[in-house]
Amino acid sequence: MTAADFVLDPRLKAGSFFICDWDLCRVSLKNDKTFPWLVLVPQRRDIREIFELAEADQMQLTREISRAARALKTVCSADKINIAAYGNMVPQLHIHVFARFQGDPAWPKPVWAVHRDEISYTDSERETEIEKFKNCFGKLES
Amino acid sequence: MTAADFVLDPRLKAGSFFICDWDLCRVSLKNDKTFPWLVLVPQRRDIREIFELAEADQMQLTREISRAARALKTVCSADKINIAAYGNMVPQLHIHVFARFQGDPAWPKPVWAVHRDEISYTDSERETEIEKFKNCFGKLES
């Protein structure tokens, strides 16, 4: 199949904003400004676990996770990058890559260990954030 | 450096049991029988983020995460494999790869979202569990 056959799960789409498509993954910004947070979704159909991807896709996924992590480190001066793939509720394989800071609302625990309400970006904040990531991705790819 | 220079962080060592060393990672069983849970630690020094690994090591890490995930799926008939890399408290890069089941104590939430006490293996349970994984790893490698 090609990326053209790919359909992003509507639950993932609803909570995030499109940034760009890489060779394998669709890259989105999660709509929660508490944590700078990217969601990577391999543009392949019917994949739920990383080991269901073809080996070349697994390798590309790793390159793209690393690129996302490096961008978060660079753009946000993050103290730590956290990476997680669950998919217990939304089966389409998706990887959370997000920035953590000493003193953030859940630090040093996993963000899921602390209940909090998500805080949406305003339109202009969202545009600014997306632009920052696009610029950084461009530099990391060159 | 070589794997011989590698020292497992004592906090990771304290909460888990050695299973085996793969080409890159030390593979341990977390001492919590609520969830079949493997911890993979790349045997490299002073690595905190995945993108700090050499590219070849990143690719190998992905192969080993996939192998661990496939083993959990096979050995435990897991409904879903969850994968996470945090490192906010223990900086040595380590990856959690663990099995989830419909109806487990945290399902479908991330395990960190539900407070629970860890339940240690007895000696014989631990030996049985480690043996099961070793047997499965052997088959996946051949």
Side-chain angles (χ1 to χ4, degrees), chain A residues 56-126:
Chain A
D57 282 348
Q58 291 184 35
M59 300 300 114
Q60 184 60 22
L61 176 60
T62 303
R63 285 185 205 100
E64 296 185 1
I65 288 172
S66 270
R67 190 189 298 161
R70 199 184 288 271
L72 282 158
K73 184 88 182 170
T74 306
V75 167
C76 315
S77 304
D79 290 314
K80 186 69 189 73
I81 305 304
N82 285 188
I83 301 171
Y86 299 131
N88 308 326
M89 287 185 265
V90 176
Q92 185 175 61
L93 180 63
H94 58 286
I95 295 95
H96 303 279
V97 187
F98 53 102
R100 301 296 308 274
F101 305 92
Q102 292 184 32
D104 73 34
W107 184 266
K109 293 181 181 175
V111 292
W112 291 275
V114 176
H115 179 77
R116 61 189 178 81
D117 293 321
E118 296 185 355
I119 304 173
S120 298
Y121 288 101
T122 65
D123 290 351
S124 70
E125 285 170 341
R126 181 190 72 222

Side-chain angles (χ1 to χ4, degrees), chain B residues 13-24:
Chain B
K13 193 170 182 177
S16 65
F17 302 107
F18 175 79
I19 302 180
C20 60
D21 283 334
W22 284 341
D23 283 354
L24 178 63

Side-chain angles (χ1 to χ4, degrees), chain A residues 48-52 55 58-60 62-63 65-66 69-70 73 79-89 91 93 98 100 107-114, chain B residues 48-52 55 58-60 62-63 65-66 69-70 73 79-89 91 93 98 100 107-114:
Chain A
R48 202 171 169 210
E49 302 282 4
I50 186 172
F51 58 78
E52 293 168 0
E55 183 164 340
Q58 291 184 35
M59 300 300 114
Q60 184 60 22
T62 303
R63 285 185 205 100
I65 288 172
S66 270
R70 199 184 288 271
K73 184 88 182 170
D79 290 314
K80 186 69 189 73
I81 305 304
N82 285 188
I83 301 171
Y86 299 131
N88 308 326
M89 287 185 265
L93 180 63
F98 53 102
R100 301 296 308 274
W107 184 266
K109 293 181 181 175
V111 292
W112 291 275
V114 176
Chain B
R48 201 170 169 211
E49 303 282 4
I50 186 172
F51 58 77
E52 293 168 359
E55 183 164 339
Q58 292 183 35
M59 300 300 113
Q60 184 60 23
T62 303
R63 285 185 205 99
I65 288 172
S66 270
R70 199 184 288 271
K73 184 88 181 169
D79 290 315
K80 186 69 188 73
I81 306 304
N82 286 189
I83 301 171
Y86 299 130
N88 308 326
M89 287 184 267
L93 180 63
F98 53 101
R100 300 297 307 275
W107 184 267
K109 293 182 182 174
V111 292
W112 291 275
V114 176

